[in-house]
Amino acid sequence: MRHIERQIVQLKEKILRVGTLVEEAISKSITALINRDSALAQRVMASDEEIDRMEVEVEEECLKILALYQPVAADLRLVVAALKINNDLERIGDLAKNIAKRVAQLAGEGPIDLPAEIRTMATLAQEMVRQSLDAVVNGDTALARQVREEDDAVDDARQRVRRMVLQGIKVEPERVECLLRVNSVSKHIERIADMATNIAEDVIYMVEGDIVRHRSSDY
Amino acid sequence: MRHIERQIVQLKEKILRVGTLVEEAISKSITALINRDSALAQRVMASDEEIDRMEVEVEEECLKILALYQPVAADLRLVVAALKINNDLERIGDLAKNIAKRVAQLAGEGPIDLPAEIRTMATLAQEMVRQSLDAVVNGDTALARQVREEDDAVDDARQRVRRMVLQGIKVEPERVECLLRVNSVSKHIERIADMATNIAEDVIYMVEGDIVRHRSSDY
C-alpha cells in the first residue's frame, strides 16, 4: 500500500470515530430529553469537548496529507471532502449539545407532553447521520442519494411540531417557555438532518467529482 | 509574481465578490423586513442563487490550486481557510434568504412593532461580516480577534429579543405566529454573527497557523 493510501485509511477511521461520538451524542441527548435525565445531559455536554478536540485533530491530519503527499484527482477530492465532513460532524455535535442544554432548562418547568413527532424526527435524523457515515466509508453514492431524499420527511415532521407548538401556546399561553423549548429542540434536530444531507452531498462529490448541493434532490 | 501567487490573488478577489453579495443580502433582507418590502425580499431570495453558484466556483478554484500548484505552508493554509470561509459565506447567504422569507410571511399578518434590538443586532452582525472579510484580505489578526469579541454583544441582544418575544406572547397570545417570526429573525442574525466569528477564526489560523476555535475569545 502506498504511504498516502495508508494515511487515507487512517483518516477515514478517525472520521468514523468522530462520527460514532456524534451519533452517541444525538441519541443520548434525545434520551435525556425524554427521561428528563439531567445527569445524562451533562455527559453529552462534556463529550462535546472530546468531539471538538478530535475535529481539530482530523483537520490537522488532512493538512498533513495535503502538505506531505500533495494528492491529486480522487485522493485530493477525498481529503477536501473529509475537511468538510469533519466540519459538519462538529456542528452536529454542537446541536446535540444544544439539545442537552434544553434538558436542564426543561427540568425546572414541570412535566411536558413531548410530542411523539420529536422522537420520530430524532430517529430519522440519527438514521440519516448513520447512513451518511456508511456512505463515506463505502463511497456509496446510492445510499448518499437516499439520505438526501429522507431529509424531506424530517422537514415535514418539523412543520407538524411547529404547528402543535403554536396551537399549544394559543391554548395555554402560560406554558410558552416550555413549548418554545420543544420547538427549539425540533429545529436542532432538523438542522442535524441538514448536516447529514451535507455529508451525503460531499460523498457524491468525493466519488463522482460532481457538486450536487444547491440542486434539487430529484437529481 | 509566481503563478500560484497570481492564482491566490484571484482567489481572494473572488471570495471578496461573494462577500460583497452576502453583505448586500443581509442589509437588504433587514431593510425589506423593516419596510415590509416584499419585492426587495424577492430580490434577496433570487440573489442567493448567484451566491450558491459562486460558492461552487470558488471551491473549484481552490481544488484547482491544490491540484496544479500543490501549495505548502502558508499558501496551503490560505487555500484551506478559503474553502472554509467560502462555505461560511454561503451559509450567511442562506440565513439572509431565510430572513427574506419571513418578510413575505409577516406581510400577511398586519403591522408589528419590530423591536429596535433587531436593528441593533443586524447592524452589529453586518459590521462583523464586513470586518471579518477585511481581516481575510489584509491578513489582519487583530481585527479578527476584535470580531470574536463582538459576538458577545450580538448574543446579549438576542437574549433581550427572546425575552421580549416571550413577554409579548404572554400578553397577546393571539399574536404568537408573528412574534415567533420576529424571534426566528433574531436567531438568524445571531447565526450570521457566529459565521462571521468562524471566518475570523479561520483568518487567525491562516496567518498564524493556530487553530483557535473551541477556545475562549479571551485568548
Side-chain angles (χ1 to χ4, degrees):
Chain A
M1 205 188 265
R2 287 178 305 149
H3 268 297
I4 182 165
E5 280 166 17
R6 211 166 339 176
Q7 294 288 326
I8 283 178
V9 168
Q10 281 176 17
L11 178 63
K12 278 190 181 178
E13 283 169 2
K14 213 165 238 176
I15 287 183
L16 267 200
R17 280 208 293 282
V18 185
T20 306
L21 284 178
V22 163
E23 276 185 66
E24 277 175 19
I26 304 173
S27 116
K28 284 181 184 162
S29 69
I30 300 295
T31 305
L33 184 71
I34 291 170
N35 301 335
R36 302 296 193 89
D37 184 340
S38 302
L40 186 58
Q42 283 296 336
R43 285 208 294 284
V44 173
M45 290 187 258
S47 77
D48 193 53
E49 286 175 31
E50 171 72 1
I51 294 172
D52 287 350
R53 206 183 51 69
M54 289 197 64
E55 186 227 353
V56 171
E57 241 182 77
V58 169
E59 186 168 313
E60 283 170 347
E61 195 74 27
C62 289
L63 280 152
K64 205 180 84 183
I65 296 177
L66 288 173
L68 291 183
Y69 302 99
Q70 314 193 318
V72 292
D75 288 344
L76 175 58
R77 288 206 306 272
L78 188 140
V79 177
V80 170
L83 276 170
K84 300 172 83 175
I85 290 167
N86 184 42
N87 208 324
D88 285 331
L89 284 175
E90 189 270 330
R91 288 180 207 239
I92 296 178
D94 273 351
L95 290 163
K97 185 175 73 173
N98 289 344
I99 294 173
K101 275 189 199 162
R102 301 276 171 250
V103 177
Q105 293 166 340
L106 283 165
E109 285 168 10
I112 49 157
D113 295 323
L114 204 62
E117 293 286 354
I118 291 272
R119 213 182 283 227
T120 312
M121 282 185 79
T123 308
L124 282 169
Q126 241 177 291
E127 181 71 8
M128 284 172 69
V129 173
R130 210 188 46 69
Q131 288 173 333
S132 71
L133 288 167
D134 283 350
V136 172
V137 181
N138 303 317
D140 184 342
T141 54
L143 187 57
R145 288 192 160 80
Q146 190 186 318
V147 171
R148 291 184 91 202
E149 279 167 23
E150 287 164 356
D151 195 37
D152 291 341
V154 177
D155 290 347
D156 291 346
R158 156 75 191 126
Q159 286 313 314
R160 287 193 294 275
V161 172
R162 194 181 155 273
R163 282 193 295 270
M164 275 187 271
V165 165
L166 280 175
Q167 196 47 39
I169 292 173
K170 283 183 186 163
V171 177
E172 299 176 89
E174 68 284 0
R175 291 182 56 229
V176 58
E177 272 97 347
C178 167
L179 285 162
L180 286 190
R181 293 202 211 289
V182 171
N183 193 47
S184 168
V185 166
S186 78
K187 270 199 205 166
H188 293 325
I189 301 175
E190 184 192 15
R191 283 185 55 212
I192 289 174
D194 287 344
M195 295 293 120
T197 307
N198 285 353
I199 293 174
E201 290 175 349
D202 284 330
V203 171
I204 298 175
Y205 161 73
M206 179 176 92
V207 177
E208 301 178 358
D210 190 17
I211 299 180
V212 295
R213 63 179 183 275
H214 314 313
R215 283 195 224 153
S216 127
S217 67
D218 302 337
Y219 159 82
Chain B
M1 205 190 266
R2 287 177 308 145
H3 268 297
I4 182 165
E5 280 166 18
R6 210 165 340 173
Q7 293 288 325
I8 283 178
V9 168
Q10 281 175 16
L11 177 64
K12 278 190 180 177
E13 283 169 0
K14 213 165 236 177
I15 287 183
L16 267 200
R17 280 207 294 282
V18 185
T20 306
L21 284 178
V22 164
E23 276 184 66
E24 278 175 20
I26 305 172
S27 116
K28 284 181 183 162
S29 69
I30 299 295
T31 305
L33 185 71
I34 291 170
N35 302 334
R36 302 295 195 88
D37 184 340
S38 303
L40 185 58
Q42 282 297 336
R43 285 207 295 283
V44 173
M45 290 187 258
S47 77
D48 193 53
E49 286 176 30
E50 170 72 2
I51 294 171
D52 287 351
R53 207 183 49 70
M54 288 196 65
E55 186 227 355
V56 171
E57 240 183 79
V58 169
E59 187 169 312
E60 283 170 346
E61 195 74 26
C62 289
L63 280 152
K64 205 179 84 183
I65 296 177
L66 288 172
L68 291 183
Y69 302 99
Q70 314 192 321
V72 292
D75 288 343
L76 175 59
R77 289 205 307 273
L78 188 139
V79 178
V80 169
L83 276 168
K84 299 172 83 175
I85 290 166
N86 184 42
N87 209 324
D88 285 331
L89 285 174
E90 189 270 331
R91 287 180 207 239
I92 297 178
D94 273 351
L95 290 162
K97 184 175 73 173
N98 289 345
I99 294 173
K101 275 188 199 162
R102 300 276 172 252
V103 178
Q105 293 165 340
L106 284 165
E109 285 169 11
I112 50 157
D113 295 323
L114 204 63
E117 293 287 353
I118 290 272
R119 212 183 282 229
T120 311
M121 282 185 79
T123 308
L124 282 169
Q126 241 177 293
E127 180 71 7
M128 284 171 69
V129 173
R130 210 188 46 69
Q131 288 173 332
S132 71
L133 288 168
D134 283 350
V136 172
V137 181
N138 304 318
D140 183 343
T141 55
L143 187 57
R145 287 192 162 80
Q146 191 185 319
V147 171
R148 289 185 92 200
E149 279 166 25
E150 287 164 355
D151 195 37
D152 291 342
V154 176
D155 290 346
D156 291 345
R158 155 77 190 126
Q159 286 312 314
R160 286 194 294 275
V161 172
R162 193 182 156 275
R163 283 193 295 271
M164 274 187 271
V165 164
L166 280 175
Q167 197 47 42
I169 292 174
K170 282 184 188 163
V171 176
E172 298 176 89
E174 68 284 0
R175 289 184 55 229
V176 59
E177 273 97 347
C178 168
L179 285 161
L180 286 190
R181 293 202 211 288
V182 171
N183 193 47
S184 169
V185 166
S186 78
K187 270 198 204 165
H188 292 325
I189 301 175
E190 184 192 16
R191 284 185 55 214
I192 289 174
D194 287 343
M195 296 293 120
T197 307
N198 285 353
I199 294 174
E201 290 174 350
D202 284 330
V203 170
I204 298 175
Y205 161 72
M206 181 176 91
V207 176
E208 301 177 359
D210 191 16
I211 298 180
V212 294
R213 64 178 182 276
H214 313 313
R215 282 194 224 154
S216 127
S217 67
D218 302 337
Y219 159 82

